[in-house]
Amino acid sequence: MSMDFFAERDLDRFYDYPPVLPDADNLDIWRKKPLAIYLHIPFCLRFCDYCPYNKYIYNRTIAERYVEALLTDIRSSTSQGVLQGYAVVVVYIGGGTPTCLTDDQIFRIISAVRESFSLKHGTEITIESNPKTCTYKKLKAAVDAGVNRVSLGVQSFNRDLLEKLNRLHSVEEAVEALHTIREAGITNYNIDLMYRIPGQTLTHWTNDLETALSLECPHISAFGLNIKPNTRFYKKYIDQNMHLKNAEKIETDIIGHTRFTLNDNGFRQYTIDSWAKSGFESKYNTYLIEVLAFGAGSHSHVNRFEFCKAYNPEEYIERIKNNKSPIAFGKRLTVKEEMERYMVIGILHLTIDTEDFMDRFGIRIEELYPGHIDALIGNGFLKKTGNILSVTEKGKLYILNISKSFFGAEYKDILFALKTFS
């Protein structure tokens, strides 16, 4: 560099940056960051043929050892004070089937979370349940510990479809479980319903929605079945394309009927799968807040780290018993990956606040993805109103295409390789 580059030497010492600050009237300097807690209970009484999640057949002895390890994991996370800058705003207990556990085990787990994280009164605490294990005694123990929301895995109110899915419960038990939930004093609850089931018709789906509405469910999760390689369905329907093509023939009708029916009955769609009456939207939002997870195979996203606990319950138990970290996989995300994650998961939540993105990352979405956002809007997949990007009705049919279009190139390559060789 030429010595003539600077007109003269600068000798005016400075001590901080930025060198000028605006007025500090509205700074939330001491505001704690919101945090979601997720707890994974990997046990089921029976494996459903379609389920790709981390699950194991319930064993009473292993379950008790697992609960003790889980309690240790929960308590040790707060013992060093590293989470003092966070405030827990929502808790979600998933699985597996959490209500496989005894009422005492459920009470101990939730109590440990409340004691370790000092939850505020009224914090949303959800527990997943199966109609077969959704007993009044277990729900009462959960309510006594602070649970105020239940997510019930119904999938269908059709006997033949339940048998095809290898579900353990009957239609009658599903209806009875909903009555039990209300009897336990829980008015905030969700039911899961599934479409794209082999052999399912539009009439089946229409009847499922009408039954859910007649039972006054305030929240409905409508999931499309995906056939994954690690499921029995994959072996049974080895020609996935044949099933998917058959399912796609009526899927547009199912989605359209769902939108018309639920909108007409006071529901609002707020994620690709979730419909709720006003005030019953789940607060468990995994892209606007960070998530700290406990249990075998559970995934966390905290402080720019994405990490996962050991998948096998026995390994998870042994690691904790031997004072080893239960974390088996993980990485610190780059800022680029954080921005991609925001877009990828945000699309599945149907709306993205571009100003929030700007506040978080210091760059506008349009600058980060020049031309791409305009192309998605121009093709009718997204629309922009003020600072809100939202997925259109057309976009919802192609939502996974849109979401994956924001993957980094390296992850697109990995997914392509997995799809090619699966």
Side-chain angles (χ1 to χ4, degrees), residues 85-319:
Y86 289 91
V88 175
V89 295
V90 63
V91 179
Y92 195 97
I93 308 163
T97 309
T99 49
C100 271
L101 301 180
T102 66
D103 52 316
D104 176 66
Q105 289 169 334
I106 292 170
F107 184 87
R108 283 155 55 201
I109 291 169
I110 301 167
S111 296
V113 173
R114 294 186 67 86
E115 292 162 5
S116 298
F117 292 97
S118 300
L119 273 61
K120 291 182 180 179
H121 178 73
T123 297
E124 182 179 285
I125 305 177
T126 299
I127 188 168
E128 289 184 351
S129 187
N130 181 297
K132 200 74 174 181
T133 58
C134 189
T135 67
Y136 178 80
K137 187 178 180 183
K138 290 181 181 181
L139 289 183
K140 191 64 172 64
V143 169
D144 289 345
V147 164
N148 47 28
R149 186 174 184 272
V150 173
S151 182
L152 188 69
V154 173
Q155 314 312 343
S156 178
F157 290 103
N158 180 278
R159 182 187 62 189
D160 294 338
L161 294 181
L162 288 177
E163 289 179 359
K164 190 165 287 187
L165 294 170
N166 198 32
R167 295 292 288 178
L168 190 61
H169 69 271
S170 66
V171 174
E172 294 75 19
E173 286 170 327
V175 174
E176 181 61 30
L178 289 168
H179 292 312
T180 302
I181 289 169
R182 290 193 287 265
E183 186 183 353
I186 299 171
T187 57
N188 187 3
Y189 54 91
N190 164 70
I191 67 165
D192 292 343
L193 294 178
M194 183 177 288
Y195 58 92
R196 279 199 223 124
I197 303 171
Q200 186 181 37
T201 66
L202 179 59
T203 300
H204 288 143
W205 182 252
T206 300
N207 290 338
D208 280 348
L209 281 184
E210 288 178 354
T211 302
L213 291 172
S214 71
L215 291 166
E216 301 182 341
C217 298
H219 191 290
I220 297 172
S221 294
F223 293 96
L225 170 65
N226 280 147
I227 298 179
K228 298 293 187 181
N230 60 331
T231 65
R232 293 173 182 169
F233 257 24
Y234 188 79
K235 297 176 182 177
K236 191 172 183 179
Y237 298 94
I238 192 69
D239 187 355
Q240 293 184 80
N241 290 329
M242 180 188 71
H243 162 62
L244 291 175
K245 285 178 181 177
N246 290 336
E248 285 175 2
K249 290 177 183 177
I250 64 167
E251 182 171 350
T252 302
D253 291 336
I254 283 177
I255 291 173
H257 179 75
T258 302
R259 181 174 68 250
F260 174 81
T261 301
L262 294 184
N263 281 339
D264 200 44
N265 282 275
F267 285 76
R268 181 182 72 88
Q269 186 178 18
Y270 68 99
T271 80
I272 190 55
D273 303 313
S274 305
W275 295 80
K277 289 195 170 183
S278 179
F280 289 94
E281 298 87 352
S282 173
K283 295 180 174 62
Y284 187 66
N285 188 325
T286 57
Y287 89 106
L288 290 179
I289 58 178
E290 297 181 71
V291 180
L292 180 62
F294 302 94
S298 61
H299 284 253
S300 297
H301 182 83
V302 177
N303 195 26
R304 275 183 52 194
F305 281 91
E306 189 86 19
F307 56 92
C308 174
K309 304 288 176 72
Y311 271 80
N312 187 285
E314 288 284 9
E315 182 184 353
Y316 175 78
I317 292 167
E318 288 304 309
R319 281 174 176 251

Side-chain angles (χ1 to χ4, degrees), residues 72 76 315-326:
T72 300
S76 64
E315 182 184 353
Y316 175 78
I317 292 167
E318 288 304 309
R319 281 174 176 251
I320 292 175
K321 181 180 177 182
N322 295 319
N323 295 317
K324 291 177 60 178
S325 170

